[in-house]
Amino acid sequence: LDTYFPTAAFAKLGDFVARQERKIINNAHFGTRAPGSPWILQLMRGLASGFNGTRWGSQGPLLFTRVLRPMCGPRLFTRLRRG
C-alpha cells in the first residue's frame, strides 16, 4: 500500500528531490520554492505524454528521473547525498 500525503505548502529549503536508489529519484519526497517551477511543469508534461499504467514507477520514480536527468545533467546525482 502506497500512502502519500501531498501538501500545497512550498519548501523553505528551496527546490529539492530525494534519491530512491543510486540512479533513481524518489517521487514521494520533493519540494519546490514556488508554484509554476519549470521542473514541475516538465513533470506534468512528462506524465501527460508518457503515461504507462502497466510499468512500475513509470508515473513516479522513473518519471522524475526521466525528466530531471536532462534538465540537471551529471550533477543530478552528484549533489544528492544521504541525510
Side-chain angles (χ1 to χ4, degrees), residues 13-24:
L13 301 172
D15 293 344
F16 69 90
V17 295
R19 180 172 39 197
Q20 179 163 324
E21 295 177 19
R22 187 169 180 265
K23 296 286 184 177
I24 302 288

Side-chain angles (χ1 to χ4, degrees), residues 19 21-25 65 69 72-81:
R19 180 172 39 197
E21 295 177 19
R22 187 169 180 265
K23 296 286 184 177
I24 302 288
I25 299 298
T65 305
R69 183 177 282 138
C72 299
R75 69 188 174 128
L76 175 61
F77 293 104
T78 59
R79 294 193 64 189
L80 293 175
R81 62 186 180 277

